[in-house]
């Protein structure tokens, strides 16, 4: 079973000149897999694993949200929300 719940507070993450609105763990996983500029490092790997855990129903959505924020900070990306 997957956790498809939307986050109470979406995030907007700027990668280059494009801003992505992230509303769920599924959105976060897509952004990390397809658009993320830094594909190495502990925070990136933790964020991917956190998204997987949420999508597998093992963790709540906030777990992926916090991991994505940490990965964005480590990648020096602008975060809103």
């Amino acid at each position: 079973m997957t956790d498809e719940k939307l986050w109470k507070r979406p995030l907007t993450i700027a990668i280059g000149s494009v801003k992505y609105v992230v509303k769920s763990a599924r959105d976060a996983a897509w952004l990390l897999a397809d658009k993320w500029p830094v594909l190495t490092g502990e925070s990136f790997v933790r964020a991917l694993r956190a998204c997987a855990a949420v999508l597998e129903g093992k963790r709540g959505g906030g777990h992926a949200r916090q991991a994505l924020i940490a990965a964005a900070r480590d990648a020096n990306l602008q975060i809103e929300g």
Side-chain angles (χ1 to χ4, degrees):
M1 176 174 288
T2 62
D3 183 348
E4 294 292 335
K5 294 179 186 173
L6 297 179
W7 297 341
K8 291 179 183 178
R9 292 181 26 207
L11 297 172
T12 301
I13 298 178
I15 299 177
S17 62
V18 180
K19 290 186 177 184
Y20 297 92
V21 177
V22 184
K23 300 176 185 177
S24 66
R26 183 171 300 285
D27 289 349
W30 172 83
L31 187 63
L32 288 161
D34 286 355
K35 302 295 181 184
W36 210 251
V38 181
L39 303 178
T40 60
E42 286 185 41
S43 63
F44 172 75
V45 173
R46 273 193 296 249
L48 282 175
R49 288 181 179 159
C51 290
V54 171
L55 293 171
E56 292 169 358
K58 296 178 181 176
R59 299 292 302 255
H63 180 65
R65 188 177 189 279
Q66 291 304 316
L68 182 65
I69 291 170
R73 287 182 178 147
D74 282 354
N76 295 316
L77 299 176
Q78 181 183 5
I79 310 164
E80 298 172 16

